[in-house]
Amino acid sequence: MAKSLPPRGEILFEGVTVNEFATAANFAAYKNQGIGAAVLRATAGDDYTDARLSQLVENARENNLRIGFYHYLTAEDEAGAREQAQRFVQAISGYDYALRPAMLFETLNGLSIDAANRIALAFLQAVESATGVAPAVYTDAQSANLLWNRSIAERYPLWVIDESDAENPQAGNSPWKGWVGWQYRTDLEDPNCPCASVPVSRFTSGMLKAEIVLPTPPEEEPARTKLICINVAYGDTLSGIARLFRTSVDSIVKINDIQNPDLILPGQRLYLRVDASVPYPCCDSYTVRKGDSLSAIAQRFDLNWRRIASINQISNPNLIFPGQVIKLGVCD
């Protein structure tokens, strides 16, 4: 299980994330509810610029909100990432903004973990080179824990999405030491339109464009884990397996959806979340069983179902079949 991740820097204000589809966005109402910033989606993909960007910037500025921008990255190679970075920088260059630019990259289109990291790094480096500011990585907690590598985390701050009602985001297994942004809820309703809601984030001083985030003092490295598969042998018990692999019975029960912890069978395949030092190869595939759903599988393995769908090119997440083998995307 992922551990919680602390803030990096002093928590200064909360902000909303808005794009052109938030037709009922009311920045005056947000300001009255204590919101101090608005992060606007400026661009997406190869050729899309938010049609209401200028209007949203003006409305946010009129209400004295700090302004930031993010890009929705869809590139499938490094050259494409650099091109998208150039368009993003051009789109925001005419505005005065207080927050770090940010990258959201969640539709991987079957890319490997290594390829996704190379593409993301190309985008981040290109934006930093053009703006002089290290962008933030806007990503969900599962991807923070399992997808992004240390090369990115050591240079680019984390703006993490985790709306699980925890006291801190559950991204403590990630290569980041802390977060500068945490999207923790999506329930700030516009009083003039109860149907409208926007994502709400807490931001630390590290999210400010002018803030220099100092290196974290040396500290103990967070525990790294991996997923392995074993076959139950005659005489095995869950408690014995848990002791042998330094995990817990509760963890084994959850991952494997075991109804009766006292009943496991020889030859049964079990998934275990163990310390990365355990000399077993990482296990990356899962065979769909009757009654499975993509969301349930993701929940058992602490993953994001959208990412699993993307890796396996599943166009309809409600349509998976018993016997279908899917990649979990947890192994480098």
Side-chain angles (χ1 to χ4, degrees):
M1 295 289 292
K3 302 188 297 294
S4 63
L5 194 68
R8 190 169 185 188
E10 180 185 1
I11 299 174
L12 298 181
F13 52 88
E14 292 191 332
V16 292
T17 306
V18 178
N19 61 40
E20 70 171 281
F21 299 110
T23 55
N26 185 324
F27 291 106
Y30 301 155
K31 181 73 173 181
N32 289 337
Q33 294 185 54
I35 295 300
V39 186
L40 313 175
R41 188 188 66 180
T43 51
D46 293 323
D47 56 5
Y48 184 82
T49 301
D50 195 312
R52 297 176 62 229
L53 184 60
S54 295
Q55 178 186 345
L56 292 172
V57 170
E58 182 179 353
N59 290 347
R61 184 178 291 126
E62 287 174 350
N63 289 281
N64 297 314
L65 296 179
R66 299 173 181 86
I67 296 172
F69 300 103
Y70 75 94
H71 173 76
Y72 189 95
L73 184 63
T74 62
E76 297 184 2
D77 55 43
E78 293 166 74
R82 285 187 283 269
E83 290 176 2
Q84 291 191 21
Q86 182 179 10
R87 288 197 61 261
F88 174 53
V89 171
Q90 289 175 345
I92 67 176
S93 61
Y95 302 109
D96 184 23
Y97 53 97
L99 306 186
R100 294 176 182 272
M103 173 199 74
L104 178 62
F105 188 21
E106 63 180 4
T107 303
L108 304 185
N109 294 324
L111 294 170
S112 67
I113 290 177
D114 179 66
N117 276 273
R118 285 189 283 105
I119 291 167
L121 187 59
F123 177 87
L124 294 165
Q125 289 175 334
V127 173
E128 182 178 16
S129 176
T131 64
V133 180
V137 178
Y138 184 24
T139 189
D140 62 84
Q142 293 89 345
S143 295
N145 283 319
L146 298 170
L147 174 60
W148 304 118
N149 64 28
R150 193 169 299 277
S151 295
I152 288 177
E154 287 177 348
R155 179 62 188 169
Y156 301 102
L158 174 66
W159 175 11
V160 63
I161 304 168
D162 182 6
E163 298 169 5
S164 61
D165 295 325
E167 293 185 1
N168 284 291
Q170 301 302 292
N173 290 335
S174 76
W176 279 277
K177 303 298 184 182
W179 53 268
V180 300
W182 172 23
Q183 181 178 308
Y184 71 102
R185 62 187 175 117
T186 310
D187 61 0
L188 183 65
E189 294 188 344
D190 181 338
N192 295 323
C193 179
C195 63
S197 62
V198 293
V200 183
S201 298
R202 292 172 179 155
F203 291 117
T204 76
S205 55
M207 190 64 179
L208 293 173
K209 185 174 67 170
E211 175 78 3
I212 299 176
V213 180
L214 299 176
T216 303
E219 60 182 43
E220 184 179 350
E221 286 290 320
R224 304 291 293 172
T225 65
K226 64 182 176 183
L227 192 69
I228 67 170
C229 301
I230 67 166
N231 291 321
V232 175
Y234 183 78
D236 276 347
T237 63
L238 286 189
S239 59
I241 293 171
R243 285 194 300 271
L244 179 63
F245 290 96
R246 291 174 290 167
T247 185
S248 69
V249 171
D250 288 344
S251 174
I252 300 174
V253 167
K254 175 181 181 270
I255 293 175
N256 295 279
D257 194 25
I258 295 173
Q259 303 302 313
N260 184 353
D262 297 321
L263 182 62
I264 56 174
L265 303 174
Q268 182 178 350
R269 190 188 203 201
L270 295 179
Y271 292 89
L272 307 180
R273 176 69 67 180
V274 299
D275 188 271
S277 64
V278 172
Y280 263 71
C282 183
C283 186
D284 197 40
S285 64
Y286 175 80
T287 302
V288 176
R289 301 182 305 188
K290 184 177 181 180
D292 275 343
S293 67
L294 208 57
S295 60
I297 294 170
Q299 184 175 15
R300 282 167 51 191
F301 289 101
D302 288 320
L303 301 175
N304 186 315
W305 68 264
R306 292 183 179 87
R307 182 165 176 267
I308 296 176
S310 176
I311 290 171
N312 293 275
Q313 300 184 33
I314 298 173
S315 58
N316 184 351
N318 297 315
L319 191 61
I320 57 175
F321 306 96
Q324 180 178 355
V325 178
I326 59 176
K327 292 181 179 179
L328 298 173
V330 297
C331 300
D332 292 333

